[in-house]
């Protein structure tokens, strides 16, 4: 585990936190677009190892935009 990898991971997570704070949600595809690809051209997959990617996607899934049309009766 290198210092560079730690810095890239921290920067990616900072971007993610800022995005969620600003917009309240995120789509998984956004993690493979700028500004996330400024850290690594492969976005999420280029910054984190596969086990961490899976964990992050699980957590991020709770922040995706959902179509809430109201309670079902």
């Amino acid at each position: 585990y290198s210092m560079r990898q730690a810095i890239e991971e921290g920067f990616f997570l900072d971007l993610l936190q800022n995005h969620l704070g600003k917009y309240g949600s995120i789509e998984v595809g956004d993690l493979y677009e700028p500004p996330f690809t400024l850290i690594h051209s492969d976005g999420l997959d280029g910054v984190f190892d596969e086990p961490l990617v899976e964990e992050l996607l699980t957590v991020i899934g709770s922040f995706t935009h959902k179509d809430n049309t109201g309670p079902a009766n």
Side-chain angles (χ1 to χ4, degrees):
Y1 193 73
S2 70
M3 179 65 82
R4 178 184 173 129
Q5 184 177 0
I7 291 168
E8 288 177 350
E9 289 176 358
F11 185 51
F12 192 96
L13 293 173
D14 285 346
L15 286 174
L16 179 59
Q17 181 180 12
N18 289 337
H19 183 93
L20 291 172
K22 185 173 182 177
Y23 300 105
S25 67
I26 191 163
E27 298 296 325
V28 171
D30 293 341
L31 301 173
Y32 300 92
E33 301 291 333
F36 299 100
T37 53
L38 297 175
I39 302 165
H40 192 284
S41 60
D42 291 333
L44 178 68
D45 294 336
V47 176
F48 296 95
D49 293 332
E50 187 174 343
L52 282 175
V53 169
E54 295 301 320
E55 287 185 47
L56 284 169
L57 289 176
T58 299
V59 172
I60 290 166
S62 67
F63 290 97
T64 57
H65 177 69
K66 295 181 178 50
D67 181 20
N68 294 324
T69 56
N73 289 335

Short mmCIF file of all heavy atoms in Angstrom, two decimals:
data_model
loop_
_atom_site.label_atom_id
_atom_site.label_comp_id
_atom_site.label_asym_id
_atom_site.label_seq_id
_atom_site.Cartn_x
_atom_site.Cartn_y
_atom_site.Cartn_z
N TYR A 1 0.85 -1.17 0.00
CA TYR A 1 0.00 0.00 0.00
C TYR A 1 0.89 1.23 0.00
O TYR A 1 1.61 1.49 0.97
CB TYR A 1 -0.90 -0.04 1.23
CG TYR A 1 -2.04 0.93 1.20
CD1 TYR A 1 -3.13 0.72 0.38
CD2 TYR A 1 -2.03 2.04 2.02
CE1 TYR A 1 -4.19 1.60 0.37
CE2 TYR A 1 -3.08 2.93 2.03
CZ TYR A 1 -4.17 2.70 1.21
OH TYR A 1 -5.22 3.57 1.20
N SER A 2 0.84 1.99 -1.07
CA SER A 2 1.75 3.13 -1.20
C SER A 2 1.11 4.43 -0.70
O SER A 2 -0.11 4.55 -0.59
CB SER A 2 2.15 3.30 -2.67
OG SER A 2 1.04 3.77 -3.42
N MET A 3 1.97 5.39 -0.44
CA MET A 3 1.50 6.72 -0.04
C MET A 3 0.67 7.33 -1.17
O MET A 3 -0.36 7.96 -0.92
CB MET A 3 2.70 7.61 0.30
CG MET A 3 2.29 9.00 0.71
SD MET A 3 1.36 9.06 2.24
CE MET A 3 2.66 9.00 3.41
N ARG A 4 1.10 7.13 -2.42
CA ARG A 4 0.36 7.68 -3.56
C ARG A 4 -1.06 7.12 -3.61
O ARG A 4 -2.02 7.85 -3.84
CB ARG A 4 1.10 7.37 -4.86
CG ARG A 4 0.36 7.87 -6.08
CD ARG A 4 1.06 7.48 -7.36
NE ARG A 4 0.23 7.84 -8.48
CZ ARG A 4 0.62 8.54 -9.51
NH1 ARG A 4 1.88 8.93 -9.60
NH2 ARG A 4 -0.20 8.83 -10.47
N GLN A 5 -1.19 5.80 -3.39
CA GLN A 5 -2.52 5.19 -3.42
C GLN A 5 -3.39 5.77 -2.31
O GLN A 5 -4.57 6.06 -2.52
CB GLN A 5 -2.43 3.67 -3.28
CG GLN A 5 -3.78 2.99 -3.41
CD GLN A 5 -3.69 1.48 -3.35
OE1 GLN A 5 -2.61 0.92 -3.22
NE2 GLN A 5 -4.81 0.82 -3.47
N ALA A 6 -2.82 5.95 -1.14
CA ALA A 6 -3.56 6.52 -0.02
C ALA A 6 -4.04 7.94 -0.35
O ALA A 6 -5.18 8.31 -0.04
CB ALA A 6 -2.70 6.52 1.24
N ILE A 7 -3.18 8.72 -0.97
CA ILE A 7 -3.54 10.09 -1.34
C ILE A 7 -4.65 10.09 -2.39
O ILE A 7 -5.62 10.85 -2.29
CB ILE A 7 -2.29 10.86 -1.83
CG1 ILE A 7 -1.34 11.10 -0.66
CG2 ILE A 7 -2.68 12.17 -2.51
CD1 ILE A 7 0.03 11.59 -1.06
N GLU A 8 -4.53 9.23 -3.40
CA GLU A 8 -5.55 9.15 -4.45
C GLU A 8 -6.89 8.72 -3.86
O GLU A 8 -7.94 9.27 -4.21
CB GLU A 8 -5.11 8.18 -5.55
CG GLU A 8 -4.00 8.73 -6.41
CD GLU A 8 -3.51 7.75 -7.46
OE1 GLU A 8 -3.90 6.55 -7.42
OE2 GLU A 8 -2.74 8.18 -8.33
N GLU A 9 -6.87 7.74 -2.98
CA GLU A 9 -8.11 7.29 -2.34
C GLU A 9 -8.74 8.40 -1.52
O GLU A 9 -9.95 8.63 -1.58
CB GLU A 9 -7.84 6.06 -1.47
CG GLU A 9 -7.54 4.82 -2.27
CD GLU A 9 -7.18 3.62 -1.41
OE1 GLU A 9 -7.12 3.74 -0.16
OE2 GLU A 9 -6.94 2.55 -1.99
N GLY A 10 -7.92 9.11 -0.75
CA GLY A 10 -8.44 10.21 0.05
C GLY A 10 -9.02 11.32 -0.80
O GLY A 10 -10.09 11.86 -0.49
N PHE A 11 -8.35 11.65 -1.90
CA PHE A 11 -8.84 12.70 -2.80
C PHE A 11 -10.15 12.26 -3.44
O PHE A 11 -11.10 13.05 -3.54
CB PHE A 11 -7.78 13.01 -3.85
CG PHE A 11 -8.13 14.16 -4.75
CD1 PHE A 11 -8.53 15.38 -4.23
CD2 PHE A 11 -8.04 14.03 -6.13
CE1 PHE A 11 -8.85 16.45 -5.06
CE2 PHE A 11 -8.36 15.09 -6.97
CZ PHE A 11 -8.76 16.29 -6.42
N PHE A 12 -10.25 11.00 -3.86
CA PHE A 12 -11.47 10.48 -4.46
C PHE A 12 -12.63 10.57 -3.47
O PHE A 12 -13.72 11.02 -3.81
CB PHE A 12 -11.26 9.03 -4.91
CG PHE A 12 -12.35 8.50 -5.80
CD1 PHE A 12 -12.21 8.52 -7.17
CD2 PHE A 12 -13.51 7.99 -5.25
CE1 PHE A 12 -13.21 8.03 -7.99
CE2 PHE A 12 -14.52 7.50 -6.06
CZ PHE A 12 -14.37 7.52 -7.43
N LEU A 13 -12.37 10.14 -2.23
CA LEU A 13 -13.42 10.19 -1.21
C LEU A 13 -13.83 11.62 -0.88
O LEU A 13 -15.00 11.88 -0.62
CB LEU A 13 -12.97 9.44 0.04
CG LEU A 13 -12.82 7.93 -0.13
CD1 LEU A 13 -12.22 7.31 1.12
CD2 LEU A 13 -14.14 7.27 -0.49
N ASP A 14 -12.89 12.56 -0.91
CA ASP A 14 -13.22 13.97 -0.71
C ASP A 14 -14.14 14.47 -1.83
O ASP A 14 -15.11 15.18 -1.57
CB ASP A 14 -11.96 14.84 -0.67
CG ASP A 14 -11.20 14.72 0.63
OD1 ASP A 14 -11.75 14.18 1.62
OD2 ASP A 14 -10.03 15.16 0.66
N LEU A 15 -13.82 14.10 -3.08
CA LEU A 15 -14.68 14.48 -4.21
C LEU A 15 -16.07 13.90 -4.04
O LEU A 15 -17.08 14.58 -4.28
CB LEU A 15 -14.08 14.01 -5.54
CG LEU A 15 -12.88 14.76 -6.07
CD1 LEU A 15 -12.33 14.06 -7.31
CD2 LEU A 15 -13.25 16.21 -6.40
N LEU A 16 -16.14 12.64 -3.64
CA LEU A 16 -17.42 11.98 -3.45
C LEU A 16 -18.23 12.66 -2.35
O LEU A 16 -19.42 12.94 -2.51
CB LEU A 16 -17.20 10.50 -3.11
CG LEU A 16 -18.43 9.67 -2.86
CD1 LEU A 16 -19.37 9.67 -4.06
CD2 LEU A 16 -18.03 8.24 -2.49
N GLN A 17 -17.58 12.97 -1.25
CA GLN A 17 -18.26 13.64 -0.14
C GLN A 17 -18.78 15.01 -0.58
O GLN A 17 -19.91 15.38 -0.25
CB GLN A 17 -17.30 13.78 1.04
CG GLN A 17 -17.92 14.45 2.25
CD GLN A 17 -16.94 14.59 3.40
OE1 GLN A 17 -15.73 14.39 3.24
NE2 GLN A 17 -17.45 14.92 4.56
N ASN A 18 -17.97 15.76 -1.32
CA ASN A 18 -18.39 17.07 -1.79
C ASN A 18 -19.57 16.96 -2.74
O ASN A 18 -20.51 17.76 -2.68
CB ASN A 18 -17.24 17.80 -2.47
CG ASN A 18 -16.18 18.25 -1.50
OD1 ASN A 18 -16.44 18.43 -0.31
ND2 ASN A 18 -14.96 18.41 -1.97
N HIS A 19 -19.53 15.97 -3.63
CA HIS A 19 -20.63 15.77 -4.58
C HIS A 19 -21.93 15.44 -3.83
O HIS A 19 -22.97 16.02 -4.12
CB HIS A 19 -20.29 14.64 -5.56
CG HIS A 19 -21.35 14.42 -6.59
ND1 HIS A 19 -21.31 15.03 -7.82
CD2 HIS A 19 -22.48 13.68 -6.58
CE1 HIS A 19 -22.36 14.68 -8.51
NE2 HIS A 19 -23.10 13.84 -7.77
N LEU A 20 -21.85 14.52 -2.88
CA LEU A 20 -23.03 14.15 -2.11
C LEU A 20 -23.56 15.32 -1.30
O LEU A 20 -24.77 15.50 -1.18
CB LEU A 20 -22.73 12.96 -1.21
CG LEU A 20 -22.49 11.64 -1.93
CD1 LEU A 20 -22.01 10.58 -0.95
CD2 LEU A 20 -23.73 11.18 -2.66
N GLY A 21 -22.66 16.11 -0.75
CA GLY A 21 -23.08 17.28 0.00
C GLY A 21 -23.79 18.31 -0.87
O GLY A 21 -24.75 18.95 -0.46
N LYS A 22 -23.33 18.46 -2.09
CA LYS A 22 -23.90 19.45 -3.01
C LYS A 22 -25.19 18.97 -3.65
O LYS A 22 -26.15 19.73 -3.76
CB LYS A 22 -22.87 19.78 -4.09
CG LYS A 22 -23.31 20.88 -5.03
CD LYS A 22 -22.20 21.29 -5.97
CE LYS A 22 -22.65 22.43 -6.86
NZ LYS A 22 -21.57 22.88 -7.74
N TYR A 23 -25.22 17.70 -4.10
CA TYR A 23 -26.35 17.20 -4.87
C TYR A 23 -27.25 16.23 -4.11
O TYR A 23 -28.37 15.96 -4.55
CB TYR A 23 -25.85 16.52 -6.16
CG TYR A 23 -25.09 17.46 -7.04
CD1 TYR A 23 -23.70 17.37 -7.14
CD2 TYR A 23 -25.74 18.44 -7.78
CE1 TYR A 23 -22.98 18.23 -7.95
CE2 TYR A 23 -25.03 19.31 -8.59
CZ TYR A 23 -23.66 19.20 -8.67
OH TYR A 23 -22.95 20.05 -9.47
N GLY A 24 -26.76 15.65 -3.02
CA GLY A 24 -27.56 14.74 -2.23
C GLY A 24 -27.63 13.32 -2.73
O GLY A 24 -28.11 12.44 -2.05
N SER A 25 -27.17 13.08 -3.94
CA SER A 25 -27.18 11.73 -4.51
C SER A 25 -26.10 11.64 -5.59
O SER A 25 -25.54 12.66 -6.00
CB SER A 25 -28.54 11.40 -5.11
OG SER A 25 -28.81 12.21 -6.24
N ILE A 26 -25.86 10.41 -6.03
CA ILE A 26 -24.91 10.20 -7.11
C ILE A 26 -25.27 8.91 -7.84
O ILE A 26 -25.76 7.96 -7.21
CB ILE A 26 -23.45 10.15 -6.60
CG1 ILE A 26 -22.47 10.21 -7.76
CG2 ILE A 26 -23.22 8.95 -5.71
CD1 ILE A 26 -21.05 10.58 -7.36
N GLU A 27 -25.08 8.91 -9.12
CA GLU A 27 -25.27 7.71 -9.92
C GLU A 27 -23.90 7.04 -10.06
O GLU A 27 -22.88 7.72 -10.17
CB GLU A 27 -25.83 8.06 -11.30
CG GLU A 27 -27.21 8.71 -11.25
CD GLU A 27 -28.28 7.81 -10.69
OE1 GLU A 27 -28.21 6.58 -10.92
OE2 GLU A 27 -29.18 8.32 -10.00
N VAL A 28 -23.88 5.72 -10.08
CA VAL A 28 -22.62 4.98 -10.16
C VAL A 28 -21.82 5.41 -11.40
O VAL A 28 -20.60 5.58 -11.33
CB VAL A 28 -22.87 3.46 -10.17
CG1 VAL A 28 -21.59 2.70 -10.46
CG2 VAL A 28 -23.44 3.03 -8.82
N GLY A 29 -22.47 5.63 -12.51
CA GLY A 29 -21.78 6.03 -13.73
C GLY A 29 -21.00 7.33 -13.59
O GLY A 29 -20.00 7.53 -14.27
N ASP A 30 -21.46 8.19 -12.68
CA ASP A 30 -20.76 9.46 -12.44
C ASP A 30 -19.35 9.24 -11.89
O ASP A 30 -18.48 10.10 -12.06
CB ASP A 30 -21.54 10.34 -11.47
CG ASP A 30 -22.86 10.82 -12.03
OD1 ASP A 30 -23.04 10.80 -13.27
OD2 ASP A 30 -23.73 11.22 -11.22
N LEU A 31 -19.13 8.11 -11.25
CA LEU A 31 -17.82 7.82 -10.66
C LEU A 31 -16.78 7.46 -11.71
O LEU A 31 -15.61 7.27 -11.40
CB LEU A 31 -17.95 6.68 -9.65
CG LEU A 31 -18.92 6.97 -8.51
CD1 LEU A 31 -19.12 5.73 -7.66
CD2 LEU A 31 -18.45 8.14 -7.66
N TYR A 32 -17.21 7.38 -12.97
CA TYR A 32 -16.33 7.07 -14.09
C TYR A 32 -16.24 8.24 -15.06
O TYR A 32 -15.87 8.07 -16.21
CB TYR A 32 -16.81 5.78 -14.79
CG TYR A 32 -16.81 4.61 -13.84
CD1 TYR A 32 -17.95 4.28 -13.12
CD2 TYR A 32 -15.66 3.86 -13.64
CE1 TYR A 32 -17.95 3.21 -12.23
CE2 TYR A 32 -15.65 2.80 -12.75
CZ TYR A 32 -16.79 2.48 -12.05
OH TYR A 32 -16.78 1.43 -11.17
N GLU A 33 -16.64 9.42 -14.57
CA GLU A 33 -16.62 10.66 -15.34
C GLU A 33 -15.87 11.72 -14.55
O GLU A 33 -15.67 11.56 -13.35
CB GLU A 33 -18.06 11.14 -15.60
CG GLU A 33 -18.95 10.16 -16.35
CD GLU A 33 -18.53 9.98 -17.79
OE1 GLU A 33 -17.95 10.91 -18.36
OE2 GLU A 33 -18.79 8.90 -18.34
N PRO A 34 -15.46 12.82 -15.22
CA PRO A 34 -14.84 13.92 -14.47
C PRO A 34 -15.82 14.44 -13.40
O PRO A 34 -17.02 14.43 -13.63
CB PRO A 34 -14.59 14.99 -15.53
CG PRO A 34 -14.52 14.22 -16.82
CD PRO A 34 -15.49 13.07 -16.65
N PRO A 35 -15.36 14.84 -12.27
CA PRO A 35 -13.97 15.05 -11.87
C PRO A 35 -13.29 13.79 -11.34
O PRO A 35 -12.09 13.79 -11.08
CB PRO A 35 -14.08 16.08 -10.76
CG PRO A 35 -15.38 15.76 -10.09
CD PRO A 35 -16.29 15.31 -11.23
N PHE A 36 -14.04 12.69 -11.20
CA PHE A 36 -13.46 11.48 -10.62
C PHE A 36 -12.37 10.87 -11.49
O PHE A 36 -11.46 10.24 -10.99
CB PHE A 36 -14.57 10.46 -10.32
CG PHE A 36 -15.57 10.98 -9.33
CD1 PHE A 36 -16.79 11.48 -9.75
CD2 PHE A 36 -15.29 11.01 -7.98
CE1 PHE A 36 -17.71 11.99 -8.84
CE2 PHE A 36 -16.19 11.51 -7.05
CZ PHE A 36 -17.41 12.01 -7.50
N THR A 37 -12.46 11.06 -12.80
CA THR A 37 -11.43 10.52 -13.69
C THR A 37 -10.19 11.40 -13.75
O THR A 37 -9.21 11.04 -14.41
CB THR A 37 -11.99 10.33 -15.12
OG1 THR A 37 -12.57 11.55 -15.56
CG2 THR A 37 -13.03 9.22 -15.15
N LEU A 38 -10.20 12.52 -13.06
CA LEU A 38 -8.98 13.33 -12.97
C LEU A 38 -7.94 12.65 -12.08
O LEU A 38 -6.74 12.88 -12.24
CB LEU A 38 -9.30 14.72 -12.43
CG LEU A 38 -10.22 15.58 -13.29
CD1 LEU A 38 -10.55 16.89 -12.57
CD2 LEU A 38 -9.61 15.84 -14.65
N ILE A 39 -8.39 11.81 -11.18
CA ILE A 39 -7.49 11.09 -10.29
C ILE A 39 -6.90 9.90 -11.02
O ILE A 39 -5.71 9.63 -10.94
CB ILE A 39 -8.24 10.64 -9.02
CG1 ILE A 39 -8.83 11.86 -8.32
CG2 ILE A 39 -7.31 9.86 -8.09
CD1 ILE A 39 -9.86 11.51 -7.29
N HIS A 40 -7.75 9.15 -11.70
CA HIS A 40 -7.33 7.99 -12.49
C HIS A 40 -8.30 7.88 -13.66
O HIS A 40 -9.51 8.04 -13.49
CB HIS A 40 -7.35 6.72 -11.64
CG HIS A 40 -6.67 5.57 -12.30
ND1 HIS A 40 -7.25 4.86 -13.32
CD2 HIS A 40 -5.46 5.01 -12.08
CE1 HIS A 40 -6.43 3.91 -13.71
NE2 HIS A 40 -5.31 3.98 -12.97
N SER A 41 -7.79 7.58 -14.83
CA SER A 41 -8.64 7.54 -16.03
C SER A 41 -9.73 6.48 -15.94
O SER A 41 -10.75 6.58 -16.62
CB SER A 41 -7.79 7.31 -17.28
OG SER A 41 -7.09 6.08 -17.18
N ASP A 42 -9.56 5.47 -15.08
CA ASP A 42 -10.58 4.44 -14.89
C ASP A 42 -11.54 4.76 -13.75
O ASP A 42 -12.32 3.91 -13.33
CB ASP A 42 -9.93 3.08 -14.63
CG ASP A 42 -9.23 2.53 -15.86
OD1 ASP A 42 -9.63 2.89 -16.99
OD2 ASP A 42 -8.28 1.75 -15.69
N GLY A 43 -11.47 5.98 -13.22
CA GLY A 43 -12.38 6.39 -12.16
C GLY A 43 -12.25 5.51 -10.93
O GLY A 43 -11.15 5.16 -10.49
N LEU A 44 -13.39 5.12 -10.39
CA LEU A 44 -13.45 4.34 -9.16
C LEU A 44 -12.58 3.09 -9.24
O LEU A 44 -11.81 2.80 -8.32
CB LEU A 44 -14.91 3.94 -8.90
CG LEU A 44 -15.19 3.07 -7.69
CD1 LEU A 44 -14.92 3.83 -6.41
CD2 LEU A 44 -16.63 2.58 -7.73
N ASP A 45 -12.67 2.34 -10.34
CA ASP A 45 -11.92 1.08 -10.47
C ASP A 45 -10.41 1.30 -10.53
O ASP A 45 -9.65 0.40 -10.16
CB ASP A 45 -12.35 0.33 -11.73
CG ASP A 45 -13.78 -0.15 -11.64
OD1 ASP A 45 -14.29 -0.31 -10.52
OD2 ASP A 45 -14.40 -0.35 -12.71
N GLY A 46 -9.97 2.46 -10.97
CA GLY A 46 -8.55 2.74 -11.05
C GLY A 46 -7.95 3.19 -9.74
O GLY A 46 -6.74 3.09 -9.54
N VAL A 47 -8.79 3.66 -8.84
CA VAL A 47 -8.30 4.19 -7.57
C VAL A 47 -8.31 3.12 -6.47
O VAL A 47 -7.37 3.03 -5.68
CB VAL A 47 -9.13 5.41 -7.12
CG1 VAL A 47 -8.70 5.90 -5.75
CG2 VAL A 47 -9.01 6.54 -8.15
N PHE A 48 -9.35 2.30 -6.45
CA PHE A 48 -9.52 1.33 -5.37
C PHE A 48 -9.37 -0.10 -5.88
O PHE A 48 -9.71 -0.40 -7.02
CB PHE A 48 -10.91 1.49 -4.73
CG PHE A 48 -11.11 2.80 -4.05
CD1 PHE A 48 -11.72 3.85 -4.70
CD2 PHE A 48 -10.67 3.01 -2.75
CE1 PHE A 48 -11.90 5.08 -4.08
CE2 PHE A 48 -10.84 4.23 -2.12
CZ PHE A 48 -11.46 5.26 -2.78
N ASP A 49 -8.91 -0.99 -5.01
CA ASP A 49 -8.86 -2.42 -5.31
C ASP A 49 -10.29 -2.97 -5.33
O ASP A 49 -11.19 -2.42 -4.68
CB ASP A 49 -8.04 -3.16 -4.25
CG ASP A 49 -6.56 -2.78 -4.28
OD1 ASP A 49 -6.07 -2.40 -5.36
OD2 ASP A 49 -5.91 -2.87 -3.22
N GLU A 50 -10.47 -4.08 -6.04
CA GLU A 50 -11.81 -4.62 -6.26
C GLU A 50 -12.64 -4.81 -4.99
O GLU A 50 -13.82 -4.45 -4.97
CB GLU A 50 -11.73 -5.93 -7.04
CG GLU A 50 -13.10 -6.44 -7.45
CD GLU A 50 -13.04 -7.65 -8.34
OE1 GLU A 50 -11.98 -7.93 -8.93
OE2 GLU A 50 -14.07 -8.33 -8.44
N PRO A 51 -12.08 -5.38 -3.91
CA PRO A 51 -12.92 -5.54 -2.71
C PRO A 51 -13.44 -4.20 -2.17
O PRO A 51 -14.59 -4.10 -1.74
CB PRO A 51 -11.99 -6.21 -1.69
CG PRO A 51 -10.92 -6.85 -2.51
CD PRO A 51 -10.77 -5.99 -3.73
N LEU A 52 -12.62 -3.17 -2.23
CA LEU A 52 -13.06 -1.85 -1.77
C LEU A 52 -14.07 -1.24 -2.72
O LEU A 52 -15.00 -0.55 -2.30
CB LEU A 52 -11.86 -0.91 -1.60
CG LEU A 52 -11.05 -1.12 -0.34
CD1 LEU A 52 -9.82 -0.20 -0.34
CD2 LEU A 52 -11.89 -0.85 0.89
N VAL A 53 -13.91 -1.48 -4.02
CA VAL A 53 -14.89 -1.00 -5.00
C VAL A 53 -16.26 -1.57 -4.67
O VAL A 53 -17.26 -0.84 -4.63
CB VAL A 53 -14.48 -1.36 -6.44
CG1 VAL A 53 -15.62 -1.10 -7.41
CG2 VAL A 53 -13.24 -0.58 -6.86
N GLU A 54 -16.32 -2.87 -4.41
CA GLU A 54 -17.60 -3.51 -4.08
C GLU A 54 -18.21 -2.90 -2.82
O GLU A 54 -19.42 -2.64 -2.78
CB GLU A 54 -17.42 -5.02 -3.92
CG GLU A 54 -17.01 -5.72 -5.20
CD GLU A 54 -18.01 -5.53 -6.33
OE1 GLU A 54 -19.24 -5.57 -6.07
OE2 GLU A 54 -17.58 -5.32 -7.48
N GLU A 55 -17.40 -2.68 -1.80
CA GLU A 55 -17.90 -2.08 -0.57
C GLU A 55 -18.40 -0.66 -0.81
O GLU A 55 -19.46 -0.27 -0.32
CB GLU A 55 -16.82 -2.07 0.51
CG GLU A 55 -16.53 -3.43 1.09
CD GLU A 55 -15.53 -3.36 2.23
OE1 GLU A 55 -15.69 -2.50 3.12
OE2 GLU A 55 -14.58 -4.17 2.21
N LEU A 56 -17.63 0.11 -1.56
CA LEU A 56 -18.04 1.49 -1.85
C LEU A 56 -19.33 1.52 -2.66
O LEU A 56 -20.19 2.36 -2.41
CB LEU A 56 -16.93 2.24 -2.59
CG LEU A 56 -15.77 2.69 -1.72
CD1 LEU A 56 -14.62 3.18 -2.59
CD2 LEU A 56 -16.22 3.78 -0.77
N LEU A 57 -19.47 0.63 -3.63
CA LEU A 57 -20.69 0.61 -4.43
C LEU A 57 -21.91 0.28 -3.58
O LEU A 57 -22.99 0.82 -3.80
CB LEU A 57 -20.56 -0.37 -5.60
CG LEU A 57 -19.61 0.07 -6.70
CD1 LEU A 57 -19.48 -1.02 -7.75
CD2 LEU A 57 -20.04 1.38 -7.33
N THR A 58 -21.73 -0.57 -2.58
CA THR A 58 -22.82 -0.87 -1.67
C THR A 58 -23.23 0.38 -0.89
O THR A 58 -24.41 0.70 -0.78
CB THR A 58 -22.42 -2.01 -0.70
OG1 THR A 58 -22.13 -3.17 -1.47
CG2 THR A 58 -23.52 -2.30 0.30
N VAL A 59 -22.24 1.07 -0.36
CA VAL A 59 -22.53 2.30 0.39
C VAL A 59 -23.10 3.38 -0.53
O VAL A 59 -24.10 4.03 -0.20
CB VAL A 59 -21.25 2.81 1.10
CG1 VAL A 59 -21.48 4.18 1.73
CG2 VAL A 59 -20.79 1.81 2.14
N ILE A 60 -22.50 3.55 -1.68
CA ILE A 60 -22.95 4.57 -2.64
C ILE A 60 -24.38 4.29 -3.09
O ILE A 60 -25.15 5.21 -3.35
CB ILE A 60 -21.98 4.66 -3.83
CG1 ILE A 60 -20.66 5.27 -3.35
CG2 ILE A 60 -22.57 5.46 -4.98
CD1 ILE A 60 -19.52 5.11 -4.32
N GLY A 61 -24.74 3.01 -3.16
CA GLY A 61 -26.10 2.64 -3.55
C GLY A 61 -27.16 3.30 -2.68
O GLY A 61 -28.26 3.58 -3.14
N SER A 62 -26.83 3.58 -1.45
CA SER A 62 -27.79 4.24 -0.57
C SER A 62 -27.92 5.73 -0.87
O SER A 62 -28.80 6.39 -0.34
CB SER A 62 -27.40 4.01 0.90
OG SER A 62 -26.20 4.68 1.20
N PHE A 63 -27.04 6.25 -1.73
CA PHE A 63 -27.08 7.67 -2.08
C PHE A 63 -27.51 7.92 -3.52
O PHE A 63 -27.44 9.03 -3.99
CB PHE A 63 -25.70 8.32 -1.88
CG PHE A 63 -25.31 8.44 -0.44
CD1 PHE A 63 -24.48 7.49 0.15
CD2 PHE A 63 -25.76 9.49 0.33
CE1 PHE A 63 -24.12 7.60 1.48
CE2 PHE A 63 -25.40 9.61 1.66
CZ PHE A 63 -24.58 8.65 2.24
N THR A 64 -27.95 6.87 -4.21
CA THR A 64 -28.39 7.07 -5.59
C THR A 64 -29.77 7.68 -5.58
O THR A 64 -30.57 7.48 -4.66
CB THR A 64 -28.40 5.77 -6.40
OG1 THR A 64 -29.23 4.83 -5.74
CG2 THR A 64 -27.01 5.22 -6.58
N HIS A 65 -30.07 8.43 -6.62
CA HIS A 65 -31.38 9.07 -6.75
C HIS A 65 -32.42 8.00 -7.00
O HIS A 65 -32.28 7.17 -7.87
CB HIS A 65 -31.36 10.07 -7.91
CG HIS A 65 -32.69 10.72 -8.13
ND1 HIS A 65 -33.22 11.60 -7.24
CD2 HIS A 65 -33.60 10.58 -9.10
CE1 HIS A 65 -34.40 12.00 -7.67
NE2 HIS A 65 -34.66 11.38 -8.81
N LYS A 66 -33.46 8.04 -6.21
CA LYS A 66 -34.55 7.08 -6.38
C LYS A 66 -35.82 7.84 -6.73
O LYS A 66 -36.05 8.94 -6.24
CB LYS A 66 -34.74 6.28 -5.11
CG LYS A 66 -33.54 5.39 -4.80
CD LYS A 66 -33.76 4.60 -3.56
CE LYS A 66 -32.62 3.67 -3.25
NZ LYS A 66 -31.30 4.25 -3.26
N ASP A 67 -36.64 7.25 -7.55
CA ASP A 67 -37.90 7.85 -7.93
C ASP A 67 -38.92 7.57 -6.84
O ASP A 67 -39.52 6.50 -6.80
CB ASP A 67 -38.37 7.30 -9.28
CG ASP A 67 -39.68 7.93 -9.72
OD1 ASP A 67 -40.02 9.02 -9.22
OD2 ASP A 67 -40.35 7.33 -10.56
N ASN A 68 -39.09 8.50 -5.95
CA ASN A 68 -40.05 8.35 -4.87
C ASN A 68 -41.33 9.05 -5.27
O ASN A 68 -41.45 10.27 -5.19
CB ASN A 68 -39.50 8.94 -3.57
CG ASN A 68 -38.30 8.18 -3.07
OD1 ASN A 68 -38.24 6.97 -3.19
ND2 ASN A 68 -37.33 8.88 -2.50
N THR A 69 -42.29 8.27 -5.67
CA THR A 69 -43.56 8.85 -6.11
C THR A 69 -44.57 8.88 -4.99
O THR A 69 -45.71 9.24 -5.19
CB THR A 69 -44.13 8.05 -7.31
OG1 THR A 69 -44.25 6.69 -6.92
CG2 THR A 69 -43.23 8.18 -8.51
N GLY A 70 -44.17 8.49 -3.81
CA GLY A 70 -45.06 8.52 -2.67
C GLY A 70 -45.26 7.14 -2.11
O GLY A 70 -44.85 6.14 -2.71
N PRO A 71 -45.90 7.05 -0.97
CA PRO A 71 -46.09 5.74 -0.34
C PRO A 71 -47.06 4.88 -1.13
O PRO A 71 -48.02 5.37 -1.71
CB PRO A 71 -46.65 6.08 1.05
CG PRO A 71 -47.19 7.45 0.93
CD PRO A 71 -46.43 8.14 -0.18
N ALA A 72 -46.79 3.59 -1.13
CA ALA A 72 -47.70 2.65 -1.81
C ALA A 72 -48.83 2.29 -0.85
O ALA A 72 -48.59 2.05 0.32
CB ALA A 72 -46.93 1.41 -2.23
N ASN A 73 -50.03 2.26 -1.37
CA ASN A 73 -51.19 1.89 -0.52
C ASN A 73 -51.85 0.68 -1.08
O ASN A 73 -52.09 0.43 -2.12
CB ASN A 73 -52.19 3.05 -0.40
CG ASN A 73 -51.63 4.18 0.46
OD1 ASN A 73 -50.77 3.94 1.29
ND2 ASN A 73 -52.11 5.37 0.22
#
